[in-house]
Amino acid sequence: MQRKKLVLFILLIVFSLSFTIKTFADSSISSEQSDNIENNCSSIKDTLKRVQNSDKNARVSLGRNFQVILADYITPLNVRLVKNNIFNNELANLQNEFSELREDFSRKYVEYSQELELLINTSCEESPAIFYDRLETTRTKRAAIIDSAKKLNTMIKKDIEIVTNLNESLGGEKDGE
Amino acid sequence: MENNSNEPLEKGNKGAHNLVILGIGSVIIALATSLISLYLYHSSGDIYLDCSLPGADCPSARASSDDNNREKVYVFSDSGDINTTVINEYLQEIEKTAERINNTIEALDSDVLTNESLGI
């Protein structure tokens, strides 16, 4: 009997807290924003689905091209340099770093996709505040994948720079001969 | 005599019983493996990249089917000499892919989730 009372008491506290949390959540957006979310719910959801599809398309394209860069350019060049007794630590480190960044990009995209999926499945009419909170989280995660993609792009430019310098040194050696 | 006539019946019942267990067991195993596969499909993130899903449209994936013809796609060989001609070819080809990546990132880096874009 005492246990039942304890369980009921805990449930009462949790129930009360849920109202408090809802109140706090409501205060994170203005009433105007809340109204806009409720009124434009279907168009917002349509836009999010379009973003989801276009981001998927971009992810497929980037994933394929990053794979091409790693498997068809950076890695075979490093192997060929080693076979020709040319040791370049910068290129070897770049290969490892690029591979790690690529995995990080994939991981971040999965996190972003899960968040976006959750956002699309959230009812914006019933819980605009929760919807907005999830939207902010989705924005953060989307920014993270763009940042990751930019870092990979920077690595590719760095590879081009290193190889260009290598080419100049090869040209110099040839002239020296 | 009676015992002998009951034996085939008992064996038959046991056989039917085993068959039912086999059937139920197969269904359970099939369900379990399907659930595990679905979980892995979801958790690995492949579901978010699956262009074969209904409603998914991936023009870049369709374009890549042309790229699958290896005669057209450049692959830097991991064997052979290293000289300026080879490196120049490498640089020429990698810059084409780099430009594609750059264009995709520029398109991705747009304000699609701002309050203004969504009408909030």
Side-chain angles (χ1 to χ4, degrees):
Chain A
M1 191 62 187
Q2 272 198 332
R3 190 179 268 188
K4 277 186 186 174
K5 280 185 185 173
L6 182 64
V7 168
L8 273 168
F9 180 66
I10 290 168
L11 280 170
L12 192 66
I13 291 174
V14 168
F15 191 64
S16 318
L17 276 173
S18 68
F19 278 109
T20 317
I21 288 165
K22 189 175 183 304
T23 311
F24 274 118
D26 282 338
S27 68
S28 70
I29 59 170
S30 64
S31 57
E32 190 189 342
Q33 284 175 324
S34 182
D35 289 340
N36 286 339
I37 289 170
E38 285 174 29
N39 297 334
N40 302 328
C41 188
S42 63
S43 72
I44 292 171
K45 289 277 178 88
D46 286 342
T47 305
L48 289 173
K49 283 173 186 169
R50 274 200 303 276
V51 168
Q52 187 181 45
N53 210 45
S54 72
D55 283 354
K56 178 194 281 189
N57 196 34
R59 165 65 183 92
V60 167
S61 172
L62 284 173
R64 191 182 69 251
N65 284 314
F66 287 146
Q67 174 61 17
V68 162
I69 291 284
L70 185 63
D72 295 350
Y73 292 96
I74 295 177
T75 305
L77 174 64
N78 282 341
V79 170
R80 193 159 167 176
L81 285 171
V82 168
K83 284 179 180 176
N84 283 274
N85 296 319
I86 300 170
F87 300 100
N88 191 307
N89 285 334
E90 274 189 292
L91 284 174
N93 292 337
L94 190 138
Q95 180 182 331
N96 292 333
E97 218 177 313
F98 192 88
S99 182
E100 281 171 15
L101 275 173
R102 200 171 65 93
E103 281 173 26
D104 182 60
F105 170 75
S106 300
R107 223 176 4 255
K108 282 183 173 155
Y109 183 82
V110 171
E111 287 173 14
Y112 159 68
S113 299
Q114 287 170 342
E115 201 59 46
L116 182 57
E117 187 78 20
L118 188 64
L119 175 65
I120 289 169
N121 292 332
T122 303
S123 170
C124 39
E125 284 157 338
E126 286 172 24
S127 347
I130 294 171
F131 181 87
Y132 192 79
D133 286 343
R134 285 188 179 149
L135 174 63
E136 298 225 283
T137 309
T138 307
R139 280 178 189 151
T140 308
K141 292 198 187 281
R142 191 170 190 272
I145 59 164
I146 292 168
D147 182 60
S148 191
K150 283 180 177 173
K151 280 181 184 165
L152 281 158
N153 202 23
T154 305
M155 296 248 79
I156 295 166
K157 287 175 184 167
K158 194 177 165 187
D159 179 75
I160 290 170
E161 195 186 313
I162 296 168
V163 174
T164 305
N165 292 339
L166 174 70
N167 200 22
E168 283 167 8
S169 68
L170 285 171
E173 279 174 19
K174 194 180 173 184
D175 291 340
E177 283 171 12
Chain B
M1 197 74 175
E2 277 182 13
N3 285 342
N4 286 338
S5 66
N6 282 341
E7 270 180 20
L9 187 65
E10 280 174 6
K11 277 184 185 173
N13 285 342
K14 199 176 175 185
H17 181 66
N18 287 342
L19 197 61
V20 168
I21 293 171
L22 176 68
I24 293 169
S26 305
V27 168
I28 291 170
I29 290 169
L31 272 170
T33 51
S34 298
L35 285 170
I36 291 167
S37 303
L38 273 170
Y39 170 74
L40 288 171
Y41 178 60
H42 222 279
S43 65
S44 68
D46 285 348
I47 190 171
Y48 305 114
L49 302 176
D50 194 340
C51 294
S52 63
L53 288 172
D57 181 32
C58 305
S60 64
R62 286 199 297 276
S64 74
S65 64
D66 294 332
D67 290 346
N68 284 338
N69 181 354
R70 278 306 201 181
E71 289 176 4
K72 293 182 190 173
V73 173
Y74 174 83
V75 178
F76 186 79
S77 173
D78 61 3
S79 58
D81 292 336
I82 291 283
N83 52 49
T84 52
T85 311
V86 158
I87 297 294
N88 280 332
E89 195 184 325
Y90 173 94
L91 287 168
Q92 210 175 352
E93 295 297 328
I94 197 173
E95 272 165 10
K96 288 179 193 171
T97 310
E99 201 183 325
R100 279 201 293 274
I101 289 170
N102 206 42
N103 293 339
T104 309
I105 292 173
E106 276 178 12
L108 190 63
D109 193 10
S110 54
D111 299 329
V112 289
L113 293 182
T114 57
N115 286 351
E116 291 74 30
S117 322
L118 294 171
I120 295 172

